[in-house]
Amino acid sequence: LPPKSNAGQYFNEELIVKSQKSKNLGMADDPLIATCDFAWGGDDDNCIRFRHGLDMWSIPAIKIPGEQTREPDFMVSLLADTLSRDWAPGLGKRKMKVAALFTDGSGISSRVVTRLRQLGFKNIVEVNWAAHSMNPAKWRNVKAMMIERFLELLQNGGSIDESKELAADMRMIMPVNYVPLQFEDKKLMKKRHGKSTDD
């Protein structure tokens, strides 16, 4: 039998498979959250994903190759549409708009966020992964805090879609330190795997 997870893998295989199969739904009053990881003209993908409570599977991810987004205008248009549209998570009985969009807060992303705010979208939060966490003794940075919170969400019933890319990204995530918790740098990850985590 194959091992349940690779050495150093933070998300074990059993949890990944269980989370793919569970198909749990959000509550009626859960906000719909969107996230966006940018890939500026590179060989990675821009990726927009959605979460409604425990439901991270029912609205498909939106993925655009980085080579198609060398200029920020395309992503401004795509994200403006994402924030303007009505979405129907879960069983599709209730439509709702995105309550908040979280984007990575580095590089050219600020140009996209600034333009979206000029267009009237105020529900956007830029996330600096390298910033200090809420508890520096526990988490080295915001990235470590978010990854551990995601693990806890899955352990408490969070459901993901059956995307092979998402599962592969989760397998790539490896801690380099536990006290405080810290994960491998994205540049080193890309050097080791030939890609970074988009999903």
Side-chain angles (χ1 to χ4, degrees), residues 32 50 59-60 62 77-88 95-99 121:
L32 179 62
F50 302 88
I59 301 177
I62 300 169
S77 176
L78 179 61
L79 289 171
D81 178 67
T82 300
L83 292 166
S84 300
R85 284 180 55 185
D86 288 323
W87 300 90
K95 292 187 177 181
M96 60 184 71
K97 293 197 182 316
V98 169
F121 299 104

Side-chain angles (χ1 to χ4, degrees), residues 49-115:
R49 282 194 163 272
F50 302 88
R51 174 185 168 209
H52 181 240
L54 295 176
D55 172 3
M56 295 171 280
W57 62 270
S58 66
I59 301 177
I62 300 169
K63 300 187 78 170
I64 308 293
E67 62 190 27
Q68 295 181 20
T69 58
R70 295 183 185 279
E71 297 298 325
D73 306 53
F74 184 93
M75 291 306 295
V76 169
S77 176
L78 179 61
L79 289 171
D81 178 67
T82 300
L83 292 166
S84 300
R85 284 180 55 185
D86 288 323
W87 300 90
L91 302 176
K93 293 181 178 179
R94 181 168 179 255
K95 292 187 177 181
M96 60 184 71
K97 293 197 182 316
V98 169
L101 167 68
F102 292 83
T103 74
D104 66 46
S106 59
I108 201 171
S109 61
S110 60
R111 290 170 60 188
V112 174
V113 172
T114 298
R115 183 64 182 135

Side-chain angles (χ1 to χ4, degrees), residues 37-57:
D37 182 52
F38 294 105
W40 297 111
D43 50 4
D44 293 323
D45 291 328
N46 299 275
C47 185
I48 302 171
R49 282 194 163 272
F50 302 88
R51 174 185 168 209
H52 181 240
L54 295 176
D55 172 3
M56 295 171 280
W57 62 270

